[in-house]
Amino acid sequence: MIKLKSPQEIEMIADSGRILAKVFDKVLKEVKVGVSLENLDKLARRLIEEYGGQPAFLGYQPEGASHPYPASICASINDTVVHGLPLNYQLKSGDVLKFDFGVIYKNFYSDAAKTVAVGKVSKTAKLLIKATKKALEQAIKQAKPDNHLGDIGWAINQCVEKAGFKIIQGLTGHGIGFKLHEEPTVYNFGKKGEGIKLKPGMVLAIEPMTAVGSGRIIKRKDNSYVTADSSLSAHFEHTVAITKKGPRILTKL
């Protein structure tokens, strides 16, 4: 069942999202060659707690995972799409790094993801990152009353395929707000005019995930997902409220 949020509840999710956006901004500024993922995770957790929030991922066990997540952020490198562990890996020039993390603030949840190039990356990596970011932007434009979930997925798929890349299969966006993952499932493909009709009060985590080669994924023992052909992947995400005036991004400064 989809749980609609009142204007007051959307403001609370926005408060959570502002913390997330501030932390993201500061963590991204520390991304450089030689920095360890473990240190970035520690920084994110410290900042989230300083702002009065809690890391939404820490200790969270999503459906299908064999154990709770042991860190505050997901940090996925190159062919790892999502759920990469922020271990003592030192960033190298050419890495494509995906950050994904969430914040709990006064029992309200927000979630966002960004992909960043480390040092000098390939032309293909730059194009993949650009296309995935644009896909999110185009999808958000469709997140308005009387449109359908299929319109969001259609916008993502069209944008990604036009750029010559692939949608990751089996991973989706989701509803969010009272919990980290709620209904509905937000697919990264679809047909215009199909699926659930969007209504004011819905809050969605919209998150295109893409790959240079195959869209198929493999789950590793640590619960991370990698592209089946080891090709580069990218990931962008915002928490977005459907309002009477249109889409409102809750996870940006």
Side-chain angles (χ1 to χ4, degrees), residues 12-47:
M12 294 301 296
I13 301 168
D15 287 342
S16 173
R18 274 188 286 273
I19 292 173
L20 179 50
K22 289 178 184 178
V23 175
F24 237 126
D25 184 58
K26 292 188 175 183
V27 171
L28 287 177
K29 288 176 181 176
E30 298 303 316
V31 173
K32 59 193 73 171
V33 175
V35 171
S36 78
L37 298 180
E38 186 178 31
N39 284 341
L40 293 174
D41 179 64
K42 289 177 180 177
L43 173 62
R45 181 174 181 177
R46 177 173 63 79
L47 290 170

Side-chain angles (χ1 to χ4, degrees), residues 142-218:
Q142 298 296 323
K144 54 189 178 182
D146 297 326
N147 269 8
H148 296 256
L149 271 179
D151 296 319
I152 292 174
W154 175 84
I156 291 171
N157 197 44
Q158 287 287 110
C159 191
V160 172
E161 287 196 346
K162 186 177 180 181
F165 300 117
K166 296 290 192 300
I167 294 293
I168 294 293
Q169 301 168 16
L171 298 175
T172 68
H174 49 91
I176 189 172
F178 301 136
K179 296 179 180 179
L180 183 58
H181 290 104
E182 301 177 359
E183 293 184 18
T185 298
V186 183
Y187 293 100
N188 290 321
F189 59 88
K191 294 183 179 179
K192 295 184 75 171
E194 292 190 358
I196 296 167
K197 182 177 283 191
L198 303 179
K199 300 178 181 179
M202 288 182 177
V203 180
L204 308 175
I206 302 172
E207 48 180 320
M209 289 163 272
T210 63
V212 170
S214 173
R216 291 197 310 110
I217 51 173
I218 297 170

